[in-house]
Amino acid sequence: MISLAETEIYLIRHGETTLTNAKQYVGSSDIPLSEQGKAQARQLAEKLRAAQFDACYCSPLGRCRDTAQIVAAP
């Protein structure tokens, strides 16, 4: 008998940056999360608290790493 395992993938965008309100394109510049962006990541972490992650991958940019670390911490 074949067993099919389910895989769930969560695609998460980084939180707000210090340039978000300025409506500037950030691109590959390493712009940090704003305090609001950190709060957004903490809110998402709380919503996903029951989710069980086997792995977490992110861009090497600081805003992405910071968001991933906050969300994956619980």
Side-chain angles (χ1 to χ4, degrees), residues 39-65:
Q40 290 168 338
R42 287 190 296 270
Q43 289 171 348
L44 182 59
E46 187 57 36
K47 288 183 180 182
L48 295 176
R49 184 172 286 284
Q52 190 169 15
F53 296 103
D54 293 325
C56 181
Y57 301 96
C58 71
S59 160
L61 293 174
R63 64 184 175 267
C64 300
R65 279 194 327 267

